[in-house]
Amino acid sequence: TILAPFVTCFLTILCGTGHVVYTMMPIIYDIAIKNGIRPERPMAASSISSQMGIIASPVSVAVVSLTAFLLNAKTHLAGFDGYVDLLKITIPATLCGVLVVGIFSWFRGKDLDKDEEFQERLKDEEFKKYVYGDSKTLLGVKLPGVQWAAMWIFLGAIAIVAILGAFPELRPHFEVKGVSKPMSMVDTIQMFMLLAGSALLIFTKVDAGKIGKNEIFRSGMIALVAVFGISWMADTMFAVHTPMMKAALGSVVQDYPWTYAIMLLLISKFVNSQAAAIAAFVPLALGIGVHPAIIVAFAPACYGYYILPTYPSDLATIQFDRSGTTHIGKFVINHSFILPGLIGVFSSCVFGYIFAMFAGYLG
């Protein structure tokens, strides 16, 4: 319950997308159910933590976009020079939030041997076999060398991207309106991820025809189309109503800076994407006078699409939990992810504020 959320969070930090959680859920369920642990505890926490890791990932669009907005803001944040400075806040804040989620989840729900409803259902032999039956797992399996090679190729690409992000002078420079500027990190990430994919196909003899049939690939493509559509819709709506929102929100956010986090959280739910929420709201927030330090401190608030259980990773987690303990309640809003999500994001924002103070961004 403590370790699994950190595993999925680190996977997201490395890969830049929370959809990698699908690969871990069968293993997390297998370990939990065979050790008598209520699967809802580690599985719901792991799904939430995988999405929390996006704002701490050096290869996520959300981090790169937020960095670009902060660097181009009219009010420059003293001492903030790039996305490494953002990660110095978001990575420790996120990991602290993940720890809080794990500790909370450790005590949630009844133990399986004390859950009357589960024990009653367990009297059905077919259900018992379904719950405890063998599941595909990598536990105890010795991986072939080609799979280790694939991992090192991918990690190598991540390391190069991180180095290029930390040292902009290493990137190609182009003259833009008479000013020499390094290649953007968005383009850099795309190039090296495509390069890593090509290297994997060449050196690990992957059957390219099977990629499109992979469940993770299909889920990713569905999410890609959905997020793009929602992002365009949200951008259009915000562009039209920007003057009205500036007038309505300006004084409130300036008087009560913490309301910025609530607004970002709700917008994230509306658009179902952290990157889209940042793209839609951060420019508006900067335009109405929100201090960049507040935006850095409350960066984890861009994750709010756990409020309703409609995101693919949450729905997949429910399907992977054959015990039925990870569930959607009668009133929809009372589902397994709402409390870990609220606790994780709130605690990450609190720690983000503290780390931003230590960094000297907040007085």
Side-chain angles (χ1 to χ4, degrees):
T1 304
I2 300 293
L3 180 61
F6 277 105
V7 171
T8 57
C9 182
F10 276 119
L11 275 174
T12 297
I13 290 174
L14 286 172
C15 301
T17 171
H19 291 292
V20 292
V21 74
Y22 305 136
T23 61
M24 292 303 302
M25 282 306 172
I27 300 173
I28 294 171
Y29 174 80
D30 189 49
I31 295 173
I33 199 68
K34 291 180 179 177
N35 285 276
I37 298 169
R38 185 181 181 88
E40 177 188 33
R41 294 171 179 172
M43 294 184 77
S46 297
S47 180
I48 291 297
S49 298
S50 70
Q51 301 299 326
M52 288 173 61
I54 290 176
I55 197 61
S57 171
V59 290
S60 73
V61 178
V63 167
V64 176
S65 299
L66 182 55
T67 303
F69 288 133
L70 291 169
L71 290 176
N72 295 323
K74 291 182 179 179
T75 303
H76 182 68
L77 186 59
F80 187 90
D81 297 318
Y83 90 139
V84 173
D85 291 320
L86 176 62
L87 292 173
K88 288 177 181 177
I89 305 298
T90 59
I91 289 179
T94 297
L95 294 180
C96 289
V98 169
L99 178 61
V100 174
V101 169
I103 293 172
F104 162 76
S105 299
W106 201 345
F107 302 99
R108 72 180 309 204
K110 296 180 180 179
D111 292 336
L112 290 179
D113 58 349
K114 298 176 183 176
D115 189 330
E116 298 85 356
E117 182 181 347
F118 178 77
Q119 291 299 322
E120 184 64 31
R121 295 176 66 194
L122 212 57
K123 294 177 181 178
D124 184 343
E125 287 299 322
E126 287 295 321
F127 177 74
K128 185 175 182 179
K129 184 178 179 181
Y130 174 70
V131 171
Y132 289 97
D134 291 335
S135 60
K136 190 175 182 181
T137 175
L138 296 178
L139 291 176
V141 176
K142 187 175 181 180
L143 300 178
V146 69
Q147 295 187 5
W148 286 101
M151 182 193 74
W152 288 118
I153 289 172
F154 186 76
L155 291 180
I158 296 291
I160 293 172
V161 167
I163 291 171
L164 292 175
F167 303 100
E169 61 271 16
L170 298 178
R171 283 179 258 154
H173 283 63
F174 304 95
E175 191 170 309
V176 180
K177 297 181 179 179
V179 179
S180 179
K181 291 187 176 181
M183 177 186 289
S184 77
M185 279 306 297
V186 174
D187 295 333
T188 302
I189 292 170
Q190 291 173 351
M191 289 173 64
F192 277 94
M193 290 299 100
L194 289 171
L195 181 62
S198 301
L200 287 169
L201 285 172
I202 294 169
F203 297 109
T204 63
K205 309 298 182 184
V206 174
D207 185 352
K210 293 182 180 179
I211 294 175
K213 300 175 184 177
N214 185 279
E215 185 62 34
I216 298 174
F217 179 84
R218 288 205 300 266
S219 299
M221 288 300 101
I222 292 170
L224 179 69
V225 174
V227 167
F228 265 121
I230 294 170
S231 299
W232 287 327
M233 179 189 70
D235 185 62
T236 302
M237 184 188 76
F238 279 100
V240 171
H241 295 94
T242 293
M244 180 190 73
M245 295 185 72
K246 282 185 176 181
L249 300 176
S251 59
V252 176
V253 175
Q254 286 178 334
D255 293 340
Y256 307 99
W258 54 268
T259 58
Y260 162 81
I262 296 177
M263 289 301 303
L264 184 61
L265 184 79
L266 294 176
I267 289 169
S268 172
K269 175 55 211 167
F270 292 146
V271 300
N272 259 19
S273 166
Q274 297 183 42
I278 287 171
F281 189 58
V282 170
L284 175 64
L286 290 169
I288 60 178
V290 177
H291 197 278
I294 293 294
I295 293 174
V296 170
F298 292 147
C302 65
Y303 172 39
Y305 42 83
Y306 58 83
I307 296 175
L308 291 177
T310 57
Y311 202 71
S313 59
D314 294 338
L315 296 175
T317 300
I318 293 172
Q319 296 303 314
F320 281 126
D321 183 1
R322 300 197 300 272
S323 71
T325 56
T326 307
H327 64 285
I328 299 175
K330 179 180 178 181
F331 303 104
V332 182
I333 193 71
N334 58 329
H335 52 84
S336 295
F337 309 99
I338 185 73
L339 288 178
L342 288 171
I343 290 170
V345 171
F346 176 79
S347 55
S348 292
C349 286
V350 170
F351 282 110
Y353 193 90
I354 293 171
F355 292 133
M357 290 179 63
F358 286 157
Y361 298 144
L362 290 165

